[in-house]
């Protein structure tokens, strides 16, 4: 009985956690090394976590990123350069 309840809870919560992640592609228009943020050409700013180095990013570079809204900030969890 307990295992059925756990499985049911996992099935209910799985779509909820996936709903918080979003994907976006764009061209980097600004980089703030002090604030650890990048801004894409659409004007939205994204916060970079420690695992993503802003020193390797360049203005004009096309990227695809995954982010989640946390505390009013769009925090990047995954970033991939695009060609």
């Amino acid at each position: 009985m307990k295992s059925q309840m756990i499985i049911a809870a996992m099935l209910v919560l799985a779509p909820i956690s996936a709903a918080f992640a979003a994907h976006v592609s764009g061209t980097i228009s600004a980089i703030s090394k002090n604030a650890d943020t990048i801004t894409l050409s659409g004007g939205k700013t994204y916060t970079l976590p420690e695992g993503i180095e802003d020193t390797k990013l360049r203005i004009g570079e096309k990227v695809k990123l995954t982010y989640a809204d946390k505390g009013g900030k769009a925090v990047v969890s995954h970033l991939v350069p695009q060609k």
Side-chain angles (χ1 to χ4, degrees):
M1 181 72 166
K2 263 189 180 179
S3 62
Q4 289 176 339
M5 290 177 66
I6 292 172
I7 291 171
M10 288 172 51
L11 291 174
V12 169
L13 295 176
I16 294 170
S17 63
F20 291 115
H23 306 280
V24 67
S25 296
T27 303
I28 298 173
S29 62
I31 300 171
S32 173
K33 295 184 187 302
N34 292 337
D36 288 326
T37 62
I38 61 170
T39 303
L40 296 186
S41 55
K44 186 163 180 168
T45 300
Y46 301 88
T47 302
L48 300 174
E50 278 190 35
I52 298 175
E53 293 296 322
D54 59 1
T55 57
K56 297 179 181 178
L57 301 173
R58 303 281 179 250
I59 292 176
E61 181 177 16
K62 293 181 182 180
V63 294
K64 181 177 181 179
L65 53 89
T66 303
Y67 71 95
D69 287 321
K70 296 180 182 176
K73 296 181 181 180
V75 180
V76 176
S77 61
H78 188 71
L79 185 141
V80 178
Q82 299 289 292
K83 292 185 178 186

